[in-house]
Amino acid sequence: MNRNLRLRPASLVATAVALVLAQNAVAQEEEPAALGEITVTARKRAESLQDVPFAISARTGEQLDEFGATNIEDVSRNVAGLSVQNLGPGQSQVGLRGISAGKTDRDLPGVKEQVGVYMDESVISLSLFTPDLDLYDLNRVEVLRGPQGTLFGSGSLAGTVRYISNQPDLSDGYGDFEVGLSTISDGGDGGFVRGMVNVPLGDRAALRVVGYFNEVPGYIDAHGPGNVLDENVNDGERQGGRLALRWELTDNIVVTPRIIYQDIDFNGYNRQDEFNILANEFTTTQPRVDIGEREQYRQLDEHFDDDFFLGDLTMEFDFGPAVLTSISSYTDRDILVTRDASQLTGSVTFDILGEVDGVRLDSPLLDYTTVEVFTQELRRSSDNDSRFQW
């Protein structure tokens, strides 16, 4: 549905392709191609991807940029066994090996999750409503096929998805800025602005700040009473940022406090109606409405709002043959789902032998979910150089 608009003369493209092919041919003659090594932390220690003894897929930040991935749904298109049921931004249902949270109801986020989702060392998954975080300035995304209950708990029966962010860099100060536009055929227009800055604070500390704003275009039109048609009702905004500080107290003690915030605000849902009792001439006093492709009928405005906050503190103590790691995290999340339940109540109040006006009673459904979670993990493990790993 999304398409990037880029205009390039055909002759310039052909010339560039020829030059790239020629350069590749020369490079292959001079030296053999080498595959870059990918370091992962699937077993909660840094090691090569090739040394991990179970099924894992890893996509680096460069690879994510190459195929334009901005969320977990984009990642799933390039990872075997990973699927995402898109119920709208902030409402993605992640599945691994055919197992997911088991429910697709928008208004029941309390079902126990079966796929764990982590941001570095902190768990962020919440059954159906897994946070739809922006993938900007990530080092990699790791997908661990399950079961992963030994290392990642009961919520990782089917597997675990880990977002590994770029850490504050003490070696140099630098930044990055990106801006883009997008359009959807027969839909709306959108775009994004995002940036990052890394600032060393002396010899032993560094600060990394990430911010982003994304205007998401809509593509669903909604019919309403009085022959009203609202276009692109499932559009909205996603904005947020991360702030992390790395402080090396000594050569053996590293402290990393961090704050993550994201706000998702959408005006509707990506739902297409095949039939709606409110738009049928035999069940209402209104004229019949023909619902087409990528269209729905709603009597009331719908809305989705998701405020996500994560504060965590990671401390590493290197004792030589063993490393002690402490992860403290606090999550505060508020989700408000506003839906038009008039069709549902209308199917109950409708009397096929009597009047039909009762079918059009306004029935707004407000579902509010608030979550506050504090977790504390202490982990002691051998260093990577030990012959016996524990």
Side-chain angles (χ1 to χ4, degrees):
M1 300 293 295
N2 285 327
R3 61 185 183 190
N4 295 323
L5 301 181
R6 296 180 179 178
L7 302 179
R8 296 180 178 176
S11 59
L12 292 179
V13 174
T15 303
V17 171
L19 290 175
V20 170
L21 292 176
Q23 292 174 354
N24 289 340
V26 173
Q28 292 177 359
E29 292 177 359
E30 293 178 351
E31 58 182 3
L35 295 176
E37 182 180 12
I38 299 178
T39 301
V40 297
T41 53
R43 294 191 293 178
K44 298 196 173 183
R45 66 173 69 250
E47 56 188 340
S48 174
L49 175 63
Q50 299 177 354
D51 296 334
V52 179
F54 52 77
I56 174 177
S57 298
R59 298 293 182 267
T60 64
E62 292 79 5
Q63 292 173 334
L64 296 176
D65 290 338
E66 286 178 359
F67 56 77
T70 59
N71 52 46
I72 187 61
E73 185 181 8
D74 296 333
V75 175
S76 67
R77 300 189 181 101
N78 296 272
V79 177
L82 175 65
S83 63
V84 175
Q85 183 174 5
N86 182 5
L87 302 179
Q91 307 170 80
S92 299
Q93 185 180 23
V94 182
L96 264 173
R97 289 182 167 173
I99 303 176
S100 63
K103 297 288 287 183
T104 58
D105 309 63
R106 298 177 187 274
D107 314 314
L108 296 176
V111 182
K112 179 63 177 177
E113 64 274 6
Q114 302 298 326
V115 178
V117 181
Y118 281 72
M119 184 67 180
D120 293 315
E121 297 280 2
S122 300
V123 61
I124 59 174
S125 52
L126 173 63
S127 61
L128 176 60
F129 292 152
T130 298
D132 188 16
L133 297 179
D134 193 284
L135 302 186
Y136 177 63
D137 197 43
L138 285 190
N139 182 276
R140 63 189 181 275
V141 175
E142 300 177 1
V143 180
L144 291 62
R145 295 170 182 82
Q148 291 290 340
T150 301
L151 291 176
F152 297 98
S154 61
S156 297
L157 173 64
T160 302
V161 178
R162 301 188 66 198
Y163 300 104
I164 308 299
S165 63
N166 288 320
Q167 297 299 304
D169 186 359
L170 280 68
S171 63
D172 193 13
Y174 51 87
D176 180 71
F177 179 80
E178 296 181 5
V179 60
L181 300 175
S182 62
T183 182
I184 295 181
S185 58
D186 299 325
D189 300 323
F192 66 86
V193 176
R194 52 196 187 187
M196 174 276 297
V197 61
N198 184 90
V199 181
L201 304 176
D203 297 332
R204 289 192 172 273
L207 181 69
R208 196 178 190 96
V209 181
V210 176
Y212 55 86
F213 175 82
N214 192 0
E215 179 96 18
V216 182
Y219 55 89
I220 298 292
D221 298 337
H223 295 272
N227 199 25
V228 175
L229 179 64
D230 293 329
E231 296 182 347
N232 308 325
V233 296
N234 62 325
D235 63 344
E237 299 175 352
R238 179 177 61 184
Q239 55 188 331
R242 303 194 301 270
L243 187 150
L245 173 67
R246 180 180 176 87
W247 187 11
E248 297 181 354
L249 298 177
T250 67
D251 293 339
N252 301 322
I253 302 177
V254 178
V255 177
T256 307
R258 180 180 61 179
I259 294 176
I260 299 176
Y261 176 76
Q262 178 172 273
D263 176 51
I264 295 178
D265 190 3
F266 270 73
N267 301 316
Y269 302 98
N270 52 342
R271 182 187 74 250
Q272 176 178 313
D273 289 344
E274 295 295 332
F275 171 81
N276 194 307
I277 192 174
L278 303 176
N280 190 290
E281 60 183 331
F282 300 106
T283 55
T284 71
T285 57
Q286 300 291 327
R288 176 183 176 86
V289 177
D290 293 325
I291 303 176
E293 183 179 4
R294 296 191 296 182
E295 291 184 351
Q296 59 183 235
Y297 189 96
R298 65 182 193 183
Q299 190 164 295
L300 302 172
D301 291 340
E302 297 181 317
H303 191 76
F304 176 83
D305 184 69
D306 182 4
D307 291 326
F308 174 81
F309 172 84
L310 171 66
D312 57 16
L313 173 65
T314 302
M315 296 184 290
E316 297 179 356
F317 304 88
D318 189 351
F319 297 108
V323 177
L324 177 64
T325 305
S326 171
I327 305 102
S328 308
S329 66
Y330 170 75
T331 301
D332 186 2
R333 193 173 181 199
D334 296 318
I335 304 172
L336 177 60
V337 178
T338 305
R339 293 190 61 199
D340 179 14
S342 302
Q343 179 181 204
L344 176 62
T345 58
S347 63
V348 177
T349 58
F350 173 70
D351 183 1
I352 194 172
L353 299 178
E355 298 294 331
V356 296
D357 290 339
V359 76
R360 304 200 67 86
L361 294 176
D362 289 342
S363 298
L365 173 62
L366 303 178
D367 183 75
Y368 180 67
T369 301
T370 180
V371 178
E372 289 189 55
V373 179
F374 175 79
T375 64
Q376 173 62 52
E377 177 183 351
L378 283 175
R379 181 174 70 246
R380 190 176 183 183
S381 60
S382 61
D383 64 0
N384 291 338
D385 297 331
S386 300
R387 175 176 298 181
F388 178 68
Q389 299 291 327
W390 52 272

